[in-house]
Amino acid sequence: MENSTIIDSKNYVISSAESSVAEISYDGNKNIQYLPASPYSIFPNLTVLSAANCSIKEISNLNFKMLYKLEKIKLPHNQLEEILSDTFDGLDQLIFLDLGKTNFQLH
């Protein structure tokens, strides 16, 4: 994506809407146990969300609500226990989902 911004959350403080952000990475941040709910208001053009090797315990459809441009979700090596069947509803552009090395049950 041209003219887009990539954020590495370890070194960035979000203070307002960041409409130019296309990719965000929480990779390796063991302090992250939950993804933000309704990130659309801050990142309306997000196409890639990566949170590999974190401590994420739970995800829900609120984490991806209205992120209609989201194409890739990378969540390997986390502590997810269950994923509800509606978690990824509405993500019609999603072409890549990585949940590798994560023990969870689908409900």
Side-chain angles (χ1 to χ4, degrees), residues 4-89:
S4 62
T5 303
I6 299 172
I7 290 180
D8 176 347
S9 66
K10 294 178 200 170
N11 303 314
Y12 192 83
V13 175
I14 300 164
S15 59
S16 62
E18 297 287 349
S19 62
S20 66
V21 174
E23 300 182 24
I24 190 165
S25 171
Y26 297 104
D27 292 353
N29 189 335
K30 296 292 186 184
N31 293 321
I32 295 182
Q33 294 182 347
Y34 302 95
L35 293 174
S38 302
Y40 173 79
S41 61
I42 299 172
F43 305 116
N45 293 307
L46 197 65
T47 60
V48 178
L49 175 76
S50 185
N53 297 306
C54 295
S55 298
I56 297 172
K57 297 179 179 184
E58 179 181 305
I59 58 174
S60 76
N61 60 355
L62 293 177
N63 301 123
F64 309 108
K65 186 176 184 178
M66 297 179 64
L67 290 176
Y68 302 124
K69 297 180 182 182
L70 198 59
E71 297 174 356
K72 296 180 183 178
I73 299 173
K74 303 174 188 177
L75 298 171
H77 301 278
N78 275 290
Q79 298 173 7
L80 294 172
E81 295 177 4
E82 70 177 3
I83 298 176
L84 300 177
S85 61
D86 69 344
T87 298
F88 305 107
D89 283 0

